[in-house]
Amino acid sequence: MRIVKLAVVAAVCLTAPLVLGACSKDGGSSADAPADAPASAPKVTDADKAAALAALPAPYNTGDLSNGQSKFAFCRSCHTITEGGPDMTGPNLYGVFGRKVGSKPGYAYSEAVKSAGFTWDAEHLDKWLSSPREFLPGTKMTFAGIHDAKDRIDLIAYLKVETGYKPAP
């Protein structure tokens, strides 16, 4: 019986790296993809993100993307930011900059948001992030806000870099 257990443990130890290698964080390398698999979007590098940050208008061009990502943890339970990502309790934020407030198709906004009448830009988002319910009474967003101005700058810079924002030429 002991020999059987040792044989099973040895088999698991020998095959585990092969099995676990297929479960990598990024879904495996492109070399492992089947020939008929669709090509994925090119990876955005840290250098790409640094260039996108530098192209932002002041003060967002001085934002700390790492801190912005950390502050996005407050938002992550309700929002996604990837292109084509799902709406959750809140709408997907990809492409939010330049979009009329309350206009994302398929999301059920509160009447206050639907009738607000502005377009999302950094200045409106800064006021919103400071205190959504004070900025727009009647919103169904329950988030208390981010009170530190530098944290809001960092979060807005992060969102601009991550959600497809393109500065006007």
Side-chain angles (χ1 to χ4, degrees), residues 32-104:
D32 297 335
D36 61 344
S40 61
K43 280 272 197 194
V44 177
T45 66
D46 288 342
D48 295 334
K49 290 179 182 184
L53 177 67
L56 296 178
Y60 306 102
N61 60 342
T62 64
D64 176 344
L65 294 181
S66 180
N67 186 48
Q69 182 178 23
S70 173
K71 297 307 167 200
F72 185 71
F74 293 124
C75 317
R76 183 168 308 158
S77 62
C78 296
H79 296 279
T80 59
I81 59 172
T82 56
E83 185 173 11
D87 294 330
M88 295 172 52
T89 302
N92 173 281
L93 299 177
Y94 192 88
V96 69
F97 293 100
R99 184 166 67 207
K100 185 176 183 282
V101 67
S103 68
K104 184 174 181 301

Side-chain angles (χ1 to χ4, degrees):
M1 182 71 159
R2 187 173 191 185
I3 294 174
V4 172
K5 287 182 183 176
L6 287 175
V8 169
V9 169
V12 168
C13 289
L14 291 173
T15 61
L18 298 173
V19 172
L20 295 177
C23 298
S24 66
K25 183 177 178 183
D26 66 354
S29 72
S30 58
D32 297 335
D36 61 344
S40 61
K43 280 272 197 194
V44 177
T45 66
D46 288 342
D48 295 334
K49 290 179 182 184
L53 177 67
L56 296 178
Y60 306 102
N61 60 342
T62 64
D64 176 344
L65 294 181
S66 180
N67 186 48
Q69 182 178 23
S70 173
K71 297 307 167 200
F72 185 71
F74 293 124
C75 317
R76 183 168 308 158
S77 62
C78 296
H79 296 279
T80 59
I81 59 172
T82 56
E83 185 173 11
D87 294 330
M88 295 172 52
T89 302
N92 173 281
L93 299 177
Y94 192 88
V96 69
F97 293 100
R99 184 166 67 207
K100 185 176 183 282
V101 67
S103 68
K104 184 174 181 301
Y107 185 78
Y109 291 96
S110 66
E111 286 303 317
V113 171
K114 286 192 285 190
S115 62
F118 62 86
T119 298
W120 284 116
D121 58 19
E123 292 73 26
H124 283 100
L125 188 56
D126 183 68
K127 291 174 187 172
W128 174 269
L129 289 171
S130 178
S131 178
R133 290 180 178 253
E134 284 180 25
F135 176 67
L136 195 60
T139 180
K140 59 185 179 180
M141 187 167 172
T142 59
F143 180 60
I146 297 174
H147 303 293
D148 183 83
K150 177 65 172 134
D151 286 343
R152 290 193 311 273
I153 288 170
D154 294 346
L155 176 55
I156 292 168
Y158 173 75
L159 288 172
K160 283 182 175 262
V161 168
E162 296 292 330
T163 62
Y165 169 80
K166 301 288 185 233

